[in-house]
């Protein structure tokens, strides 16, 4: 029950933040400023690589195995829920088959068919979270759900952070770290490395005052306010102002 209340309270804080946040226009590049016009791209891998370079991410550096494992675990527990509740449709329910098909129903049980919240065919699976991000999430972030999807990268990425938040909390409350598995950077292909660099930048940014160290995690478990000190940095780093 305590964990459920923790999840709900932080999601509520994120929802409140969404109503007051705007994308930053300051000189320093952010995820939003780098990728806001990414819909024009035809090569998603090049788009991600060029964007990371603009964010001054060193793509030649090797990410520690422990971080790779944490990122993989967080993404494995980041489900497509809030990204189908955009523009006020907060009671939508998402149902997904193991084979990839997805359906979204509104609060009255009607199939959602609008271009921004409707279900889509997923090519990736949650058991392979990096591949799923490459095949399903990243294309959606860049291009939207359909050609007629009126939402922007700005909107889509915020709601993705709301889902990512749940994955982060799953890691924070993970008691047995042996469940993380082991991942070697040298075993990854180039596209996978780009995805890991993206999330290493977002989740383990060197400029964070509050990080995911064991000491801080112990504090995050105590209250949603403590955890918000970390998550608000993620929101701000992405490029949303008014997140504190």
């Amino acid at each position: 029950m305590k964990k459920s209340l923790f999840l709900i309270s932080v999601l509520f804080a994120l929802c409140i933040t969404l109503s007051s946040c705007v994308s930053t226009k300051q000189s320093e590049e952010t995820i939003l400023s780098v990728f806001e016009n990414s819909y024009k791209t035809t090569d998603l891998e090049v788009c991600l690589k060029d964007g990371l370079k603009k964010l001054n991410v060193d793509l030649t550096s090797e990410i520690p195995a422990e971080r790779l494992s944490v990122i993989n675990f967080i993404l494995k527990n980041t489900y497509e829920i809030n990204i189908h509740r955009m523009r006020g449709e907060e009671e939508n329910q998402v149902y997904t088959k193991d084979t990839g098909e997805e359906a979204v129903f509104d609060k009255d049980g009607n199939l959602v068919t609008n271009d921004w919240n409707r279900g889509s065919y997923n090519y990736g699976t949650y058991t392979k979270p990096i591949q799923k991000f490459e095949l399903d999430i990243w294309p959606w972030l860049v291009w939207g759900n359909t050609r007629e999807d009126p939402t922007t990268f700005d909107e889509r990425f915020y709601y993705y952070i709301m889902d990512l938040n749940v994955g982060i909390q799953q890691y924070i409350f993970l008691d047995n770290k042996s469940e993380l598995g082991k991942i070697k950077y040298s075993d990854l292909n180039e596209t996978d490395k780009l995805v890991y660099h993206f999330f290493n930048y977002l989740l383990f940014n060197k400029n964070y005052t509050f990080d995911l160290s064991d000491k801080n995690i112990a504090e995050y478990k105590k209250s949603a306010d403590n955890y918000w000190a970390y998550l608000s940095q993620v929101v701000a780093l992405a490029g949303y102002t008014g997140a504190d």
Side-chain angles (χ1 to χ4, degrees):
M1 178 61 73
K2 182 179 180 181
K3 183 177 177 181
S4 298
L5 291 174
F6 188 43
L7 285 162
I8 292 170
S9 60
V10 176
L11 282 173
F12 178 74
L14 271 170
C15 291
I16 295 298
T17 302
L18 178 60
S19 66
S20 60
C21 281
V22 295
S23 57
T24 181
K25 297 300 181 182
Q26 58 193 31
S27 58
E28 185 176 352
E29 294 281 25
T30 66
I31 290 175
L32 295 185
S33 66
V34 165
F35 294 112
E36 62 183 349
N37 294 318
S38 54
Y39 63 90
K40 299 177 182 179
T41 190
T42 56
D43 191 318
L44 291 173
E45 184 176 346
V46 171
C47 174
L48 183 56
K49 185 175 183 178
D50 289 347
L52 289 171
K53 288 181 178 178
K54 290 179 181 178
L55 292 169
N56 296 315
V57 175
D58 181 6
L59 299 180
T60 65
S61 63
E62 183 169 322
I63 302 171
E66 181 180 355
R67 287 192 183 183
L68 295 176
S69 298
V70 173
I71 292 169
N72 186 73
F73 179 87
I74 289 173
L75 295 187
K76 192 174 183 178
N77 290 276
T78 297
Y79 299 105
E80 298 178 43
I81 304 298
N82 290 289
I83 64 175
H84 291 288
R85 294 175 174 174
M86 296 191 291
R87 298 199 168 188
E89 298 179 21
E90 298 175 1
E91 297 183 56
N92 285 353
Q93 298 297 317
V94 183
Y95 298 89
T96 305
K97 293 184 178 179
D98 292 337
T99 50
E101 294 93 342
E102 184 177 68
V104 182
F105 295 89
D106 65 18
K107 62 181 180 180
D108 298 315
N110 300 311
L111 185 68
V112 174
T113 59
N114 61 53
D115 291 293
W116 54 97
N117 281 332
R118 63 188 291 183
S120 60
Y121 186 87
N122 292 315
Y123 295 93
T125 65
Y126 290 113
T127 58
K128 297 180 179 179
I130 301 302
Q131 184 184 63
K132 180 170 181 58
F133 184 82
E134 296 166 2
L135 295 176
D136 298 324
I137 302 300
W138 185 242
W140 168 75
L141 285 171
V142 172
W143 293 322
N145 211 6
T146 70
R147 290 181 181 273
E148 289 74 34
D149 188 340
T151 61
T152 62
F153 185 96
D154 185 321
E155 287 180 82
R156 295 190 290 270
F157 193 64
Y158 197 96
Y159 279 89
Y160 179 69
I161 290 178
M162 292 180 70
D163 283 329
L164 188 66
N165 160 56
V166 179
I168 298 170
Q169 290 195 42
Q170 290 294 327
Y171 169 66
I172 286 174
F173 283 95
L174 178 65
D175 293 324
N176 186 3
K177 295 296 180 65
S178 65
E179 295 181 24
L180 293 176
K182 296 181 180 180
I183 300 172
K184 291 179 61 178
Y185 187 81
S186 58
D187 291 339
L188 302 174
N189 63 44
E190 293 306 309
T191 304
D192 290 352
K193 287 178 180 178
L194 290 175
V195 174
Y196 275 112
H197 275 293
F198 179 82
F199 284 101
N200 187 54
Y201 171 82
L202 183 65
L203 300 175
F204 293 95
N205 197 277
K206 62 182 180 181
N207 294 321
Y208 284 168
T209 303
F210 303 95
D211 58 20
L212 290 177
S213 63
D214 290 342
K215 179 180 178 180
N216 281 331
I217 284 177
E219 294 300 315
Y220 302 155
K221 287 181 178 180
K222 294 178 181 178
S223 76
D225 288 340
N226 290 342
Y227 173 64
W228 180 242
Y230 166 76
L231 190 65
S232 62
Q233 297 172 129
V234 174
V235 177
L237 181 73
Y240 301 98
T241 60
D244 295 328

